Structures are given as structure tokens and as C-alpha cells.
Amino acid sequence: MSWVGLFAAIAVATIALRASFILGGGSGAFFERLARYVPVAALTALVVPALLPRDGEPVYARSLAGVVAFAVAYRAKNVLLTVIVGLAGLLVLRAL
Amino acid sequence: MTPRAVALRGARDMVPVMLGGIPFGLIAGVTASNLEMSPLEATAVSIAVFAGASQLASYELLARDAPLIVVFVTAVIINLRFMIYSAAIAPTLASVPRGKRLLHAYLLTDQAYALSAARGRDAEHAAAYYFGSAVPMWLMWVTTTAIGALAGASIPPSWNLEFAVPLCFIALLAPALKDRRQVACAIITAVAALALLSAPHQSGVILSVLIGIGAGLALDRVTT
């Protein structure tokens, strides 16, 4: 189980990040600016490769389902609705 | 109000907020079971890491056969935001005995931070309010990932449930785009991610994140 070490390392790093200032003290304006872009960049970088076509389905299926899901997420700000619309969209687009 | 009553109020305020996390927990459990982790292992990861976005990203990258170091660095980048929350909430928790502060830090989440920030850090017994709101979030996360992991094997592959992970990220991303510079950051990251698709060992994720963050910070300098 190589994952045990991986997730142990992620767990330790995560508690260190969470405890950094609670145990240490102080603050930084730079981190606040960083906070505006870290989630945006990280989420985008994870989403984009997942929208590429897989074998045996229309090339646009995942990207179109993703765009529709994005529109739903933007308007409704609802996770469950976004996931359901995206999955249903992919199901329909794959069947076309 | 007594600290205990304030903590209970925090717990009550968390209930509607944490409902939004339930799909993430279920999907994290299902995704872990797709990686052939046992329900016990999946639950152990949720307890140890207790950070949904980084867990989902880790599972996604492991499914794409990314090397462990790439998974680790990506998870740390995603969890960098806890450092900002930690800084913001530290004054609230200054009254907590040192020994208990690590537990308070462990329970720090987007939701607990947001509730505490919204309720005013100077309110009476703010530390108790934080703790009371943070605990239900933990219970919800651990329970839903366990349920997802147990149910995972019985979900038919034709549902393409693996696609739920990027959909969760889209659900987080869309409301996070609040101004033009953040939109520009997302577009530059997307272009970089496409250009770096064939970068070795899935390192394109890390490289495009760094490019996107750098672009955002550079835009701050140009426009302010």
C-alpha cells in the first residue's frame, strides 16, 4: 500500500498548513493575495484535462457537459445540481 | 450566553452550510473505492487528511497514474488556502489553551472559517462558536465518505461517475470567479493546462497551476 505513505504525507502537510498561524501567530498580506488565485488556478488545472474526450464517445461530449455544468454552477451555486446536470448531460451526449 | 450555548449555536448554524458538502463526501468515497481502496481505508484518509478538494484531486490524479510526488505537491497547493484561513482565525483562537489549539487547527475547513468570519471574530466566545461549528462538518465528511465508499462498488460504470469529480471542481470554480483578474487567471491556467497535457508524469497540473498563480499576481502588479 504505497498510498498509506502518500496520504500520511498529505495529512501531515495539511495539518501543518492549518496550524501554521494558529500555533505560530502573525499574518501576511502576500498570502491573502495568493488566496485569490490558488483555488482558481488549481481547480482550472484539474478540470481541463478531465474534459478531453475518451475513446468511443463524441469528442465534444465531456467538454460540452462541462460547459453546461459550469453555467449551472455559476447561476445556481449548487453542487448537487451541478453534478446531476453534468452527469446527465454526459450520459445524453454519449448516446447521441 | 455560556460558551457551551455559543458552541451549540455554531453547530446549528453549520447544518445548512455543510449540506452542500454531502455530494463531495459521497463522491470522494465512491472515487476512493474505484481506486480499490477499502471503505476502511477511504474513511481513514478522510479522517487523516480531512480536506475534500485535495482528496478528490489526489484520487483523480492516482486514477491517471500520476507519480506520488505529483499527487502530493498538487494536494499541498490546493490546501495552501488553509494557511490564509489559519492566519485570519489565529486571533480568534488566541484564548484557546495551547494543547487544544492543534485540534482546533485540524478542524479548520472552508465552511468553518467562513461561518466564523461571517459571525464576527470579536463576538463573545468566538472560539467556542468556531469549535461548535467545526465538529459537525467533520462528522458529515467522515460519514459521507464512508457511505460513498461502501456504495461505490454497486454503482454501474455506465453512469460515468468518475466525471463527478471534475464536476465538483466546476461547482467550486464557477462561484470563485469574482473579478476579471481571476477570470484571466483561470483562462491562462486552462491554456497552460492544454499546452502541457503531454508533460511527463501528469506534471502539467502543477506547472499550469504555478503559471496561473504567477499570472494572477503579475496582473495585480500591473493593474494596481
Side-chain angles (χ1 to χ4, degrees):
Chain A
M1 278 299 301
S2 55
W3 299 338
V4 174
L6 169 69
F7 286 110
I10 293 174
V12 170
T14 303
I15 186 68
L17 292 168
R18 279 176 165 137
S20 54
F21 288 98
I22 292 175
L23 292 183
S27 179
F30 178 72
F31 285 112
E32 272 173 46
R33 284 205 296 134
L34 207 55
R36 284 171 31 80
Y37 298 114
V38 169
V40 169
L43 294 169
T44 305
L46 287 162
V47 167
V48 167
L51 299 182
L52 296 175
R54 306 268 174 104
D55 288 338
E57 62 186 29
V59 284
Y60 53 80
R62 276 166 207 264
S63 49
L64 193 53
V67 168
V68 171
F70 185 92
V72 171
Y74 190 80
R75 293 208 68 116
K77 297 186 178 20
N78 182 321
V79 178
L80 190 59
L81 190 65
T82 305
V83 170
I84 289 172
V85 168
L87 285 179
L90 180 60
L91 211 58
V92 170
L93 289 164
R94 273 173 60 111
L96 290 180
Chain B
M1 283 209 280
T2 64
R4 196 188 170 80
V6 173
L8 283 173
R9 191 201 185 115
R12 220 176 43 219
D13 288 350
M14 177 55 92
V15 170
V17 177
M18 77 180 185
L19 289 180
I22 291 175
F24 291 106
L26 294 172
I27 290 163
V30 173
T31 315
S33 76
N34 286 346
L35 289 168
E36 291 172 6
M37 295 173 92
S38 72
L40 201 65
E41 288 167 337
T43 310
V45 170
S46 276
I47 292 172
V49 179
F50 184 47
S54 67
Q55 285 176 239
L56 285 170
S58 301
Y59 299 149
E60 173 85 8
L61 286 171
L62 285 171
R64 284 194 243 150
D65 291 323
L68 300 186
I69 182 70
V70 170
V71 181
F72 174 76
V73 172
T74 306
V76 169
I77 289 176
I78 291 171
N79 288 344
L80 270 180
R81 69 191 189 287
F82 289 130
M83 214 161 160
I84 293 104
Y85 300 159
S86 184
I89 210 159
T92 302
L93 301 180
S95 61
V96 175
R98 271 205 161 264
K100 283 191 182 168
R101 268 193 230 168
L102 194 61
L103 177 63
H104 283 68
Y106 164 71
L107 291 172
L108 186 56
T109 54
D110 299 291
Q111 290 83 352
Y113 166 72
L115 264 188
S116 274
R119 288 283 152 173
R121 293 158 209 167
D122 307 320
E124 201 190 2
H125 305 308
Y129 182 87
Y130 165 79
F131 190 78
S133 67
V135 169
M137 189 66 203
W138 186 89
L139 291 172
M140 181 282 286
W141 185 249
V142 174
T143 313
T144 52
T145 48
I147 294 169
L150 287 167
S154 53
I155 293 172
S158 62
W159 287 19
N160 301 300
L161 211 65
E162 85 290 343
F163 195 55
V165 176
L167 289 171
C168 283
F169 292 144
I170 287 173
L172 291 171
L173 174 64
L177 297 171
K178 291 191 186 114
D179 62 43
R180 283 187 188 180
R181 276 175 279 166
Q182 286 176 312
V183 173
C185 168
I187 292 170
I188 291 164
T189 308
V191 172
L194 284 174
L196 293 165
L197 271 178
S198 51
H201 310 303
Q202 303 285 342
S203 59
V205 173
I206 295 170
L207 295 173
S208 51
V209 171
L210 294 177
I211 290 168
I213 294 169
L217 293 176
L219 281 171
D220 279 348
R221 274 180 175 262
V222 173
T223 52
T224 53

